[in-house]
Amino acid sequence: MTAPVSAPEDGGYASLLAELKERIRTARLKAAVAVNRELILLYWSIGRDILARQTAEGWGARIIDRLAADLRRDFPEMTGLSPRNLKYMRAFAEAFPDEEFVQQVVAQLPWGHNVKLVEALKDPTERLWYAHQAIEHGWSRNVLAHQIESQLHRRQGKALTNFARTLPAPQSDLAQELIKDPYSFDFLALGPEMTERELERGLLEHLRALILELGKGFAFVGSQYHLEVAEQDFYLDLLFYHLRLRCFIVVELKIEEFKPEFAGKMNFYLSAVDDQLRHETDAPSIGIILCKGKNEVIVEYALRDSTKPMGVAEYRVSAALPEPLQTELPTVAEFAREFPLISLVKLRIEVEREIRLLINSDMEAERPVGLGSVLEEVQRLGIAPQSADRFRIALQTMNRAAHGLDLSEADATQATEIATAFLAELRALRDGRSG
């Protein structure tokens, strides 16, 4: 008689299922990439041969029409052999004559991306730059077209900053490269009489487009983010956490020309964020001041003696985001699925803030810095929720998220559930003590 199969433990089964799902996704992706690579190399070789024969034999453009007709007759099931596409193949081979480069770089991009690179860009250096960026950031074809039209290569890394002096290498170089000037908010339709609140509200209503413009790695934490300093209230326009830089980024919006006092205010905000939100292993927080305009000399003077890392950039507002691009932007749900780190980072910040509010009235000495230390202090004071020890397990996962490390779907889900319940207990405790 066959022995009954025991039911797997929920935790072990969930972990196995998540691992197998990830392995299947990875294998499917590799298969798709391999097929795409072979197709791109085929198209490049066809284009190279057409180009070489036309040059050597003096054939005109009509040879392409003849080739297309003959190829489609012999391969009726194969798409992509039209006269127009054969001409793209020839242009593609002419634009990228180095076979090794094609194999290593542009073969990673779909054919439509390569056609756009050849069509829209005449400068070889710019083509290479956009090809690398499209691969690194996973741009769709429409997003690639938008970035080319907005001249991203001329804006990337051009903001005036003091990063070289206030941040250690290589973080200073990475931070400089991430910040643009000007920023293109062409998805906003705001008149010249807009207010700062209208600008902020417009950016939040188009949060997905804003994150696309800011770049890879920006995790949205909150708007009008509240900080209390010496019993006074202060509010940050926009607060982000950057998963690669592993630091908070404060964004202040101004609808006027840059003024020196903006740098002083940002310096204050960064000090407060570093004291109240920054984890002990986080890098120093960074400030970005976005203005309607700026005088470079005034900006340079204002940033020269600042001890906090910050940059100043302009922004441009125009009509609206092209309709095709809107359909290419990921939804909020897709962001959550693709980047579980983002929600965990935000949840971790909310937990730490709630704990600090809970212990403010019970502490006479200086407050501890890290969340782990703050949690120990809450337990020492005897005011910690019952689930504090369980939350410590989730905190390890949340710290990995805050540092941009890979997480399994199962670990992220479990940490989110534990932290959400712990946060609810903290708020209930604080409400009970203040009631």
Side-chain angles (χ1 to χ4, degrees):
M1 182 175 178
T2 305
V5 179
S6 59
E9 296 181 4
D10 289 344
Y13 178 78
S15 176
L16 174 63
L17 179 61
E19 181 182 340
L20 294 180
K21 286 163 61 178
E22 184 60 30
R23 194 179 304 166
I24 291 170
R25 291 192 192 100
T26 302
R28 290 172 63 183
L29 178 60
K30 286 181 178 178
V33 169
V35 170
N36 178 77
R37 183 176 181 278
E38 290 304 316
L39 181 66
I40 298 303
L41 292 176
L42 171 64
Y43 283 178
W44 180 84
S45 66
I46 291 173
R48 177 198 57 189
D49 290 349
I50 292 175
L51 188 63
R53 287 299 184 93
Q54 283 187 316
T55 302
E57 307 291 343
W59 292 343
R62 286 191 175 183
I63 193 65
I64 291 182
D65 294 330
R66 180 178 174 183
L67 278 172
D70 289 340
L71 289 172
R72 284 192 291 184
R73 183 191 63 237
D74 293 334
F75 301 97
E77 77 289 349
M78 185 175 176
T79 59
L81 296 176
S82 67
R84 182 184 182 189
N85 213 37
L86 289 180
K87 291 175 183 176
Y88 279 139
M89 294 177 202
R90 182 184 63 184
F92 177 54
E94 188 174 20
F96 298 105
D98 185 349
E99 183 175 4
E100 184 177 353
F101 178 81
V102 173
Q103 290 178 336
Q104 294 180 356
V105 181
V106 293
Q108 298 180 54
L109 293 170
W111 178 237
H113 287 61
N114 285 306
V115 169
K116 178 54 66 176
L117 290 172
V118 171
E119 269 189 325
L121 299 166
K122 303 306 177 187
D123 184 279
T125 304
E126 291 182 17
R127 278 199 210 103
L128 301 188
W129 190 88
Y130 280 103
H132 283 295
Q133 293 291 313
I135 293 168
E136 179 181 352
H137 299 291
W139 291 340
S140 70
R141 183 183 178 184
N142 284 328
V143 170
L144 171 62
H146 173 71
Q147 301 292 26
I148 292 173
E149 290 168 6
S150 70
Q151 297 187 319
L152 178 63
H153 70 288
R154 299 183 187 277
R155 302 184 290 119
Q156 194 81 41
K158 302 304 185 205
L160 296 173
T161 75
N162 62 1
F163 295 160
R165 183 172 52 80
T166 57
L167 290 174
Q171 190 191 26
S172 57
D173 296 333
L174 177 56
Q176 180 68 51
E177 185 61 30
L178 289 172
I179 300 184
K180 307 166 186 173
D181 187 29
Y183 281 85
S184 176
F185 297 153
D186 57 0
F187 45 85
L188 296 182
L190 297 173
E193 303 303 319
M194 67 179 177
T195 65
E196 287 178 2
R197 289 294 291 153
E198 288 173 335
L199 175 60
E200 179 186 331
R201 192 179 304 115
L203 292 175
L204 293 176
E205 289 174 354
H206 298 82
L207 184 58
R208 289 175 291 146
L210 171 61
I211 291 179
L212 174 69
E213 173 62 11
L214 290 176
K216 187 176 182 180
F218 278 83
F220 180 67
V221 176
S223 65
Q224 290 300 305
Y225 193 90
H226 175 253
L227 294 175
E228 183 177 329
V229 179
E231 299 184 354
Q232 294 187 45
D233 296 320
F234 298 91
Y235 297 89
L236 312 179
D237 286 348
L238 299 171
L239 181 63
F240 295 87
Y241 188 90
H242 200 279
L243 300 176
R244 289 181 66 193
L245 291 173
R246 299 182 184 177
C247 70
F248 288 100
I249 296 184
V250 179
V251 177
E252 282 293 294
L253 306 170
K254 302 297 179 183
I255 58 169
E256 54 186 316
E257 296 275 329
F258 174 82
K259 295 179 180 178
E261 52 263 38
F262 296 165
K265 186 177 181 181
M266 177 61 80
N267 201 80
F268 170 81
Y269 283 160
L270 293 174
S271 295
V273 169
D274 280 341
D275 179 58
Q276 298 185 23
L277 301 180
R278 178 185 171 192
H279 186 264
E280 55 192 3
T281 57
D282 285 342
S285 301
I286 292 174
I288 303 176
I289 304 172
L290 294 182
C291 302
K292 193 173 183 180
K294 66 181 186 303
N295 180 291
E296 294 189 2
V297 176
I298 293 176
V299 172
E300 183 181 342
Y301 274 46
L303 299 186
R304 180 176 295 178
D305 296 323
S306 173
T307 59
K308 296 292 184 180
M310 66 181 77
V312 178
E314 297 179 26
Y315 58 85
R316 299 283 183 266
V317 178
S318 58
L321 189 68
E323 187 64 32
L325 183 57
Q326 294 183 19
T327 61
E328 293 295 331
L329 292 173
T331 64
V332 174
E334 288 169 339
F335 262 120
R337 286 196 302 270
E338 193 69 23
F339 301 110
L341 307 181
I342 294 177
S343 57
L344 275 175
V345 169
K346 184 175 181 181
L347 191 54
R348 181 186 177 282
I349 293 169
E350 291 176 353
V351 168
E352 182 168 353
R353 185 163 178 266
E354 200 65 35
I355 291 178
R356 290 185 183 279
L357 290 173
L358 182 65
I359 67 176
N360 269 348
S361 58
D362 291 85
M363 290 197 61
E364 298 177 359
E366 185 179 349
R367 293 176 302 179
V369 177
L371 179 52
S373 301
V374 175
L375 189 58
E376 288 178 5
E377 187 63 25
V378 170
Q379 291 181 302
R380 185 188 67 80
L381 293 170
I383 57 174
Q386 293 182 352
S387 61
D389 289 333
R390 188 163 181 251
F391 173 73
R392 284 186 178 280
I393 300 174
L395 181 57
Q396 297 176 12
T397 303
M398 298 171 83
N399 286 339
R400 287 178 59 84
H403 295 148
L405 302 177
D406 291 336
L407 298 177
S408 70
E409 185 178 343
D411 286 345
T413 300
Q414 183 184 45
T416 299
E417 291 174 353
I418 293 174
T420 300
F422 184 67
L423 181 62
E425 289 185 61
L426 284 172
R427 286 172 173 163
L429 266 175
R430 189 164 63 86
D431 291 342
R433 287 163 62 87
S434 61

